[in-house]
Amino acid sequence: MSLSDVSTRLSACIRVGLVIWAIASTTVPVSTIHAQETDIPVSFTADEMDVDRALGIITARGNVEVRHEGRTLIADTVSYNQNLDVVTASGNVILNEPNGDVLFTDYMELDSDLKNGVVSNIRIILSDGSRVAANSAERLNEDMRMSKAVYSPCNLCENDPEKPPLWQVKAITVFHDSSRRVVEYSDAWLEVAGVPVFYTPFLTHPDPTVKRESGFLPPTVGNSTSLGAMLKTPYYWNISEHADTTITPAMYSDQGPGLETEYRQRLRNGEFEIENSIVNDDDVGTRAHIDAFARFNIDETWRWGADVDRTTDDTYQRRYGFGNERTLTSNLYAEGFRKQNYIRSEAILFQGLRQQDDNDETPIVTPLIEFDHVGQPNIFGGQTTLNASTAFLSRKEGADSYRLSLSPGWQATYVSDAGEQIRIVTALDADGYMVDDFTPQGSSTEFSGRETRIFPHARLDWRFPFAKQSGSVQQVIEPIASVRVAPNGGNPETIPNQDSQEFEFDETSLFRSSRFTGRDRVEGGTRIDYGTQWGVYGAEGGFTTVFVGQSYRLRQDSTFAEGTGLEDKLSDFVAKMQVSPGSYVNLLYRTRLGKDNLSVRRNEMELSLGGPLLKLNTQYRMFNAQEKSEFGDREDIDVSMTSQLSETWSLFAEGNRDIDEEETRRLKFGAVYEDECFIFTTQVTRSFFHDRDLKPEDAVIFRLSFKTLGDAEFVR
C-alpha cells in the first residue's frame, strides 16, 4: 500500500467518525464539523487491511478502531470507494463520544464532503441515560432527518427488556433544522406503559444548543372552592440573551379573569426582576400586587438596591396563592464597604395585612442611615469602634420623630496561659431626638420638641473552659460570667419607643450589652449575668450540649414589662439543650423558667427522629404574652413525616395545630412515585383558616413530571 493510499484511508476514517457523530448527536451544532481537518493526529488499529486497485476500494477489517479528538469509532469493517467517493462503516458500529453519549448502528454510508449521508438502525444512549432509536437517518447539508424514531429516558425492565418503558415518545419523522436550531416532530405519540395517551400531528422545540426559546409553557388546570375552575396558560418570551418575560393569562369560573407577568433582566453591573398580577375580582373589584427587586454594583465600594412588595388589599395574595406574608416591606438602599468601614442608607415602607393593622399609623422610615467602623488592633490588643446612625419616622396619623445617634467605643479580648478568656467592652451612647405630636405613655398631653440622652456603659466578660478526655469521649464544662455597669434610668418619657417594643429574653440575649433590639430604649443599671455550658462530644461526631443561665441586677428597673422575665432584680432562668447522638436523632430544646417556682414561661422544641424508612419532624412553640405586647399567648405544634418505602415510592404528611385555641390550622398528606424518568405526586390538603374573605378550603393535587419533557399539574 502506498503512502497516498494510507493517507486517503485515514482521512476517510476520520470522516466516518465525524459524520456518525454529527448524525447521532443533536447536542452539538453540526456546523462545527469540518471534513478538512485531516491533519489532526489519529490513532488507528485493525486486524487486516487490503486495497482493490481495480475497483479503487480500501478496506479495513476486524476490530477496526479509530480514535480522534477524544472520540472512538469501532466497527467490523470500514471502507472507502475512491471511484464513487463513498465511505462506509458496517458491522457492530459503536461510537463513544467525549460527552458520554454512545451510538450503535449496523451500517452507515456518506460522501467524502460530509454533507450527505445515511445511517440505518440507529440506537443512541445519551450521557444522561436517555435512549433514542430510529430505523434510519439521513443527513442533508448539515440538517438531519430521522424516520420512525423513539425517545425515552426510562430504563428497560431487567427481567423483560422487550417490555415497553414506562413512557416514550414515538414519531414518524424527526427533523433537526440546524440553521434555525429547532427539532420538529411529525405525527408524534406519547405512550405510557406501551399505551398511546396523547397524539399531536406536529410538535417543535429548540434543539439542545438553545438554552432559552420563546413559546408556551405547560398550563395549570385546577379547581378551588373560592375561585372555581382555573386555567393558567403561561407564555415565555425570550427577549434577548439577558432579558426574558413570562406572561400568564388566568381564567377563573367564579371570578373575573386575571393576568400574571414576570420580567427578568441581567445587566453588566447588576440585575432586576419584577413579578406582578392583576385580577378582576367579582366581589372586590380590581386586585393586584407587585413583588420586585433590583441589585446593582456602582464600583468596588458601593452598591444599591431596591425591594418593592405591595398589594391592593390585605387578603389578595393569600387568596390567589401569591404568598402568606402578614407584613410587606419595601425599601430603597445604598451601601458601601471599605476596609473596616460599612455604611448603609435606606428608605423603608411597610404595609400591614392583619385585620388590626392601620397603615395610616404605620411609620415611613426615610432616611435610615447606619455607619460602623472597627479600628485596627493597637499594641494593647484593643480596637476602637464607632457606630453612628440617624432615622426619621413619619406617619399620616400619629407622632413623627427624628433621631441622631453616635456611639464611640473600645473593646479588647485577652486569653490567659491557663485558657481564661476575658473581654472588655466600653461605649458611650449619645442620642438626640426631635419629636412632633407624641403623647407619652400615661399622659394626655402631646409633646413636641427636643430630647437628648448621654449613656455610658461598660462590660467585662469572663469564660474558662475545662476539658476532660475519657477514651473516645471528650467532656467540656465552661462557666461564663459578665458584669455590666451603666447609669440607672436613661429612658425619658419624651423619647418615643419606635424600634424596641418587642424583644425576647433567652440564652442568645443573656450576655448582650442591651437586651433591646433598637436604639430608642437603653438598659440602665448594673447587672451580673452568669451561666454554665456543658458538652460531651463523641469521636464519631455525636454530641450533647446543655446551657443554663440567669441575670441579676442591683436595682429593679421598670423599663422591662411584666412577663418579659426581667421585671425583677433576679431574672428567670434561660436554658438550651441540644442532643445529636447520630444522624437519626437531633433534639433542640429552649426554655425560660420562672425564678420562683420554675414554671414554664417559654418552650421551643425541634425534634428530628428516624431515617429514610420513617422520619418524624416536630416543632413545638409555647410563649406567654408580655404586658403591653401586641402578641398574645401562643402554643402550637407542627408535625411532619416522610417515609421512603422503596426506591421509587415515598409518603409524606404534615399538619399544624393551634393548641391554645384548640384548632387544627392545616393538614396535608400524599404519596410520591419517582424513578429515573417519571415523577407522580398526589397530595390532599385541608386549610381551616378564617380571615375575612379567606375561608377553609380543600384541595386535591395531582402532579405528573415527565423528566426532560415537562410537568402537568391538576388541582381539584
Side-chain angles (χ1 to χ4, degrees), residues 643-657:
S643 177
Q644 189 71 42
L645 299 178
S646 65
E647 291 184 0
T648 55
W649 281 100
S650 62
L651 304 175
F652 64 90
E654 63 180 62
N656 171 267
R657 181 168 178 80

Side-chain angles (χ1 to χ4, degrees), residues 320-475:
Y320 284 85
F322 297 115
N324 295 307
E325 293 82 2
R326 297 300 187 269
T327 300
L328 304 182
T329 303
S330 302
N331 70 344
L332 175 66
Y333 69 89
E335 58 185 353
F337 308 80
R338 177 172 293 179
K339 296 182 179 180
Q340 287 85 22
N341 304 304
Y342 170 75
I343 187 171
R344 179 184 177 100
S345 177
E346 64 180 321
I348 307 175
L349 180 64
F350 302 99
Q351 182 180 7
L353 304 182
R354 294 175 299 176
Q355 189 169 10
Q356 64 269 30
D357 290 336
D358 185 348
N359 289 310
D360 289 342
E361 297 179 356
T362 301
I364 300 173
V365 185
T366 177
L368 173 62
I369 303 175
E370 290 279 348
F371 172 78
D372 283 289
H373 164 79
V374 178
Q376 295 286 354
N378 55 33
I379 59 175
F380 302 105
Q383 296 172 287
T384 58
T385 62
L386 176 64
N387 172 266
S389 66
T390 182
F392 180 71
L393 284 74
S394 61
R395 295 175 172 85
K396 291 183 179 180
E397 298 179 4
D400 299 336
S401 67
Y402 175 76
R403 172 181 58 81
L404 177 63
S405 300
L406 190 66
S407 181
W410 181 85
Q411 60 186 23
T413 301
Y414 304 100
V415 179
S416 69
D417 294 338
E420 294 175 281
Q421 179 177 304
I422 299 174
R423 178 176 174 81
I424 302 172
V425 179
T426 63
L428 177 67
D429 297 340
D431 304 300
Y433 286 82
M434 293 183 61
V435 181
D436 186 29
D437 297 332
F438 171 61
T439 303
Q441 186 176 350
S443 174
S444 59
T445 303
E446 289 186 349
F447 170 76
S448 297
R450 296 185 177 89
E451 184 63 78
T452 59
R453 175 176 58 200
I454 303 295
F455 188 78
H457 54 93
R459 191 178 86 242
L460 174 67
D461 299 335
W462 172 88
R463 56 200 312 157
F464 195 0
F466 298 90
K468 178 182 179 181
Q469 189 75 33
S470 301
S472 61
V473 176
Q474 184 184 60
Q475 294 188 64

Side-chain angles (χ1 to χ4, degrees), residues 75-120:
D76 292 342
T77 303
V78 175
S79 64
Y80 173 55
N81 189 318
Q82 294 173 307
N83 296 328
L84 300 178
D85 198 23
V86 173
V87 177
T88 62
S90 61
N92 301 311
V93 180
I94 301 175
L95 179 66
N96 292 283
E97 290 292 333
N99 63 0
D101 294 348
V102 182
L103 175 143
F104 304 87
T105 185
D106 296 327
Y107 177 82
M108 69 152 309
E109 180 180 305
L110 62 149
D111 58 14
S112 61
D113 63 6
L114 306 178
K115 292 186 177 181
N116 300 282
V118 294
V119 180
S120 64

